[in-house]
Amino acid sequence: MSVTARGSLAEALSLRGIRLTRQRRLLLEVLDNAPGHLNARELLQAARRTDPTIDRATVYRTLHLLKTGGLVDELDLLHLEGEEHYYERRRTGDHVHLGCPQCGTISEFETDLVLELSQEVARREGFTATGIRIEVRGICKACSEAQVG
Amino acid sequence: MSVTARGSLAEALSLRGIRLTRQRRLLLEVLDNAPGHLNARELLQAARRTDPTIDRATVYRTLHLLKTGGLVDELDLLHLEGEEHYYERRRTGDHVHLGCPQCGTISEFETDLVLELSQEVARREGFTATGIRIEVRGICKACSEAQVG
DNA sequence: GTCGTGAATGCAACTGAGTCGCAACTGATG
DNA sequence: CATCAGTTGCGACTCAGTTGCATTCACGAC
Ligand SMILES: [Mn+2]
Ligand SMILES: [Mn+2]
Ligand SMILES: [Zn+2]
Ligand SMILES: [Zn+2]
């Protein structure tokens, strides 16, 4: 489980003089092994199952660090429910999030259009993208079939 | 100033049995005439210059209404600063927001790729998009030119 | 190993965005 | 006008996220 990720993490952080603490390792491990997208509260709860002393403030401080360092992406999944943000490990391939307000499901979608967009932004605007967030709201397949069916 | 918008607003709302109150008209007018993107606090402040009695709760309730009704889009502009959300009147052409953390500037970018994306999502996933939010973080032209100089 | 030091953590108090229940008010309809 | 459901202002509340500070700890130097 995520040994490589842990390796790259140590690299990525220690190079910048950022310490790899027990808590940071734990939080990234939780994010790696999480089935879906976690918000800060859920991340804290999950981490506390391993280390009951870890604090809310540490979670927020670590998330900030990981966001800035490009290791984690922050999403709001269109705030389909609540105002919290959600977090996921940054992967190699960018992806789009599809949210269906009707059933509350979030699904993921990969497409070359994400890359195309960052290229077009660079070409036409001179803007060098470092991160892209695409979130689509709409009616998912299951919901639209259930409605007409 | 936004007479047509007001007309279409009355249509759009009264059809659904939603009353066009003094406060709602005012809030939409402020959004229409705002130079950039406003968060809820700024929207309240601006509205109070015309109607000092308007309340925070009304702003939030109205924003919720307008979001649900598709008249206003909620953005978080990658939370470059703060956790608030920002609001803008929905226009005909979808557009992308480009945010530069270095100088804090938000710019807008129009491209057919937005439409292409919603089509691809429909074709490959059976997902009917009702709204798309694309936010790109990166280094703007001015900042990258200033850096290399 | 152990030591020293600056960085990170836990804690508790705080901030402020957003929500809610309720009494007073008002826009639409006839 | 008169009616009345929908809407507003208000004040109290919730709770995500932040901050200051004393304590602890990661990690490089020895
Ligand atoms: Mn995802
Ligand atoms: Mn957000
Ligand atoms: Zn659905
Ligand atoms: Zn810039």
Side-chain angles (χ1 to χ4, degrees), chain A residues 76 79 85 133, chain B residues 76 79 85 133:
Chain A
D76 77 12
H79 294 300
H85 288 109
R133 192 164 79 180
Chain B
D76 75 14
H79 294 299
H85 288 107
R133 190 165 79 183

Side-chain angles (χ1 to χ4, degrees), chain B residues 100 102-103 105 140 143:
Chain B
C100 174
Q102 212 149 120
C103 64
T105 304
C140 73
C143 280

Side-chain angles (χ1 to χ4, degrees), chain A residues 6-76:
Chain A
R6 239 188 272 172
S8 71
L9 173 63
E11 269 177 49
L13 294 193
S14 72
L15 272 181
R16 302 177 224 182
I18 295 174
R19 295 187 185 169
L20 185 52
T21 66
R22 181 169 43 90
Q23 290 88 340
R24 288 174 181 166
R25 210 188 338 255
L26 171 58
L27 289 171
L28 263 169
E29 204 162 302
V30 170
L31 282 170
D32 274 334
N33 298 334
H37 307 97
L38 298 177
N39 61 33
R41 185 177 36 78
E42 293 164 339
L43 176 58
L44 174 64
Q45 282 175 352
R48 279 200 159 148
R49 264 172 245 135
T50 298
D51 174 359
T53 70
I54 193 171
D55 192 71
R56 206 167 16 127
T58 302
V59 169
Y60 286 112
R61 289 191 277 232
T62 302
L63 281 174
H64 186 73
L65 188 81
L66 297 174
K67 272 188 284 175
T68 308
L71 288 164
V72 156
D73 282 326
E74 180 180 75
L75 317 168
D76 77 12

